[in-house]
Amino acid sequence: MKKIEAIIKPFKLDEVKEALSRVGVQGITMTEVKGFGRQRGHTELYRGAEYVVDFLPKTKLEVIVKNDQVDSVIEAIAGAAKTGRIGDGKIFVTDVGQVVLCAVGEHERDLALIQTLEQQPDLNIDDPTQVLAPEAVEDRRLV
């Protein structure tokens, strides 16, 4: 699993969200942030005084995807966020070593299990034989 973080211009959020939906991304975390890179901000005039705005408003997106989705997600974000001007943003990709399901209280390292729980909400999560692979049940000595 990989975590993809993208810093984009705020007005590009809807386009990026639609592009991610088209490539199969189901969950996105969005945060309003401020920062600067090579863009370095700009100078504004307010009530006759000039001041520097160096922290510009940006939008940070975070998604967790399977390894085989990484390239398509990066292409979707980059394509939708691009204006061709400086300050379009950056994309960061990092490994995800562990996911904790709050509802289950288990530390899970397998994205397939997470997807199974999301796709089959009627599973009894208190019964490990329904939500864990047989070898995992044996390893945890739950049966």
Side-chain angles (χ1 to χ4, degrees):
M1 290 189 305
K2 301 287 186 184
K3 178 180 182 182
I4 299 177
E5 296 177 79
I7 309 296
I8 63 171
K9 291 183 176 183
F11 68 89
K12 286 296 206 168
L13 177 60
D14 288 336
E15 289 177 55
V16 172
K17 190 170 73 169
E18 289 171 17
L20 289 172
S21 179
R22 284 193 298 272
V23 295
V25 173
Q26 295 178 343
I28 304 170
T29 300
M30 186 277 293
T31 310
E32 294 176 357
V33 296
K34 291 184 179 189
F36 67 90
R38 291 184 302 154
Q39 194 175 6
R40 292 278 185 218
H42 59 277
T43 303
E44 288 188 5
L45 191 62
Y46 180 71
R47 293 189 179 184
E50 193 173 281
Y51 67 99
V52 177
V53 178
D54 54 1
F55 286 99
L56 302 172
K58 299 289 181 179
T59 298
K60 179 179 177 181
L61 301 176
E62 298 172 272
V63 297
I64 307 296
V65 298
K66 293 186 280 186
N67 292 343
D68 62 352
Q69 292 179 290
V70 171
D71 292 335
S72 63
V73 169
I74 290 172
E75 288 174 19
I77 294 170
K82 184 176 182 177
T83 66
R85 305 175 92 188
I86 194 167
D88 278 351
K90 289 188 174 67
I91 300 172
F92 305 94
V93 180
T94 55
D95 287 323
V96 174
Q98 184 175 10
V99 174
V100 178
L101 296 175
C102 296
V104 179
E106 289 285 328
H107 296 261
E108 299 301 339
R109 291 176 175 84
D110 186 0
L111 184 59
L113 172 61
I114 295 167
Q115 290 174 331
T116 300
L117 292 172
E118 289 175 347
Q119 293 168 0
Q120 299 176 15
D122 57 331
L123 285 177
N124 179 1
I125 61 174
D126 294 323
D127 181 357
T129 60
Q130 287 191 25
V131 294
L132 298 175
E135 61 274 7
V137 173
E138 291 172 17
D139 288 348
R140 293 175 185 217
R141 304 182 200 291
L142 296 172
V143 174

